[in-house]
Amino acid sequence: FMAAKSNEGYAIYEPAFDDHSPRRLTLMSELRRAIESSQLELYYQAKVSLQSGQLFGAEALLRWQHPRHGFIPPDEFIIMAERTRMIKPLTLWVLKEAFKQSALWHAQGKDLIISVNLSTRDLHDPELPDLVSGIAASTGIRPEWVMLEITESSIMTDPDRALEIIKRLNGMGYQFSIDDYGTGYSSLAYLKKMPLAELKIDRSFVAEILTNENDEVIVNATINLAHNLGLHVTAEGVENEAIMHKLSAHGCDLVQGYFFNQPMSLADFECWMQENPWQAAVYQRSS
Ligand code: C2E
Ligand code: MG
Ligand code: MG
Ligand code: MG
């Protein structure tokens, strides 16, 4: 194998992480085209309020159906897009699609909050706030209908720059959420300098909440701390009813996960909302 020099010394050369590998370069030029053609799609996953049993909103999750490679998971191509600066057109595409959908839902009387994921590089882009407000204007949405999800690591990469972008967007009315909370290196006390509305507990803590006492303690403490700091809490990765009840007992506000629905195409999500099998059930059980 080859060795690449880093500050720490020598690292093993890993082809999978080489931005210049032929597969990567090809995929990135294809991603450019995918944005214009219809290979990209937003899937939607419900966020349900434990207190009211109502649908609070939906997270938009990006899907790439590649003509030859088939489905490429977002975790894979978003990292590549970050490194090759393709992330900006990608993020703008996602925002536009999500805002269009939000406008439609609100026109239909569905008072849903749409959650959109942002990347590290987005939070370093001084043009982002104006671009976002341009998309809001052209789609006719109100910023209050949108929750922007960011991760601890995307903030901590360059906290001052990130804070400036976040503050500008928040000043326009956009709400912010910390995604995958607990997996990065930051304290909630530090994050409190950010104008945050929501904290999402990473699903790695949620998955074993019934069997791992430490995870239950962590989840409980995080919920209490977040509430004391004025944030609402969403648990991600809620896969069954028992986990939902446990979270409810700890005062968690919102839940999201396969127990309610898998991320699904817009058409399927619209059907799912219409059938609404969870709504009465969650409401009765948690009240
Ligand atoms: P995320 O924002 O933390 O999204 C939650 C992920 O957990 C989604 O994976 C979702 O499908 C999955 N998930 C939801 N409920 C459950 C559950 O009950 N059990 C399990 N095992 N998994 C569950 P997905 O859709 O593959 O997305 C992965 C990540 O890719 C996202 O994590 C987010 O970081 C990123 N991503 C997705 N869409 C976008 C996008 O439009 N822009 C950016 N920048 N990142 C995105
Ligand atoms: Mg997210
Ligand atoms: Mg998450
Ligand atoms: Mg996650």
Side-chain angles (χ1 to χ4, degrees), residues 28-243:
M28 283 306 99
S29 68
E30 287 173 339
L31 182 55
R32 208 178 298 271
R33 257 176 283 129
I35 294 173
E36 272 110 53
S37 57
S38 52
Q39 295 168 27
L40 295 181
E41 192 178 346
L42 288 186
Y43 270 37
Y44 295 92
Q45 187 179 36
K47 288 172 75 171
V48 174
S49 162
L50 281 174
Q51 214 189 11
S52 68
Q54 302 287 308
L55 193 58
F56 171 86
E59 179 171 5
L61 293 157
L62 190 55
R63 298 290 180 259
W64 183 7
Q65 203 60 49
H66 189 283
R68 277 173 297 109
H69 302 301
F71 170 71
I72 304 178
D75 280 327
E76 190 178 329
F77 69 85
I78 282 160
I79 287 177
M80 286 195 284
E82 272 266 311
R83 294 183 185 175
T84 56
R85 295 175 189 271
M86 276 299 291
I87 195 69
K88 186 167 182 169
L90 202 61
T91 298
L92 294 177
W93 185 87
V94 170
L95 286 165
K96 196 163 188 177
E97 287 296 307
F99 285 16
K100 275 194 274 187
Q101 193 51 50
S102 171
L104 279 172
W105 281 334
H106 282 268
Q108 297 162 3
K110 295 191 180 98
D111 189 16
L112 301 174
I113 303 289
I114 197 158
S115 295
V116 177
N117 294 281
L118 295 181
S119 294
T120 306
R121 231 184 247 281
D122 298 325
L123 289 180
H124 296 169
D125 182 356
E127 293 177 352
L128 186 75
D130 287 344
L131 289 168
V132 171
S133 81
I135 297 170
S138 69
T139 52
I141 63 113
R142 299 231 316 258
E144 292 76 16
W145 301 344
V146 179
M147 183 81 73
L148 298 171
E149 296 195 357
I150 57 182
T151 62
E152 293 165 87
S153 57
S154 70
I155 294 172
M156 299 310 286
T157 308
D158 190 342
D160 294 340
R161 265 168 92 179
L163 182 59
E164 202 192 305
I165 309 280
I166 292 165
K167 278 187 170 159
R168 277 174 60 202
L169 283 163
N170 183 250
M172 299 171 180
Y174 295 93
Q175 304 190 70
F176 279 87
S177 169
I178 293 292
D179 206 351
D180 305 336
Y181 183 75
T183 59
Y185 300 95
S186 63
S187 69
L188 204 42
Y190 180 86
L191 292 177
K192 196 45 201 166
K193 290 182 190 163
M194 310 265 164
L196 302 174
E198 176 186 79
L199 188 145
K200 289 182 91 167
I201 300 181
D202 191 67
R203 69 165 184 266
S204 60
F205 299 104
V206 174
E208 288 170 42
I209 193 174
L210 299 173
T211 50
N212 184 324
E213 224 172 280
N214 287 338
D215 283 354
E216 187 176 355
V217 168
I218 290 167
V219 167
N220 183 50
T222 305
I223 291 170
N224 289 331
L225 187 54
H227 282 169
N228 288 333
L229 292 170
L231 311 181
H232 76 250
V233 179
T234 295
E236 56 176 35
V238 178
E239 293 190 353
N240 60 53
E241 194 176 349
I243 291 178

Side-chain angles (χ1 to χ4, degrees), residues 2-13:
M2 287 163 63
K5 198 165 187 333
S6 71
N7 288 338
E8 283 78 44
Y10 288 86
I12 293 169
Y13 174 71

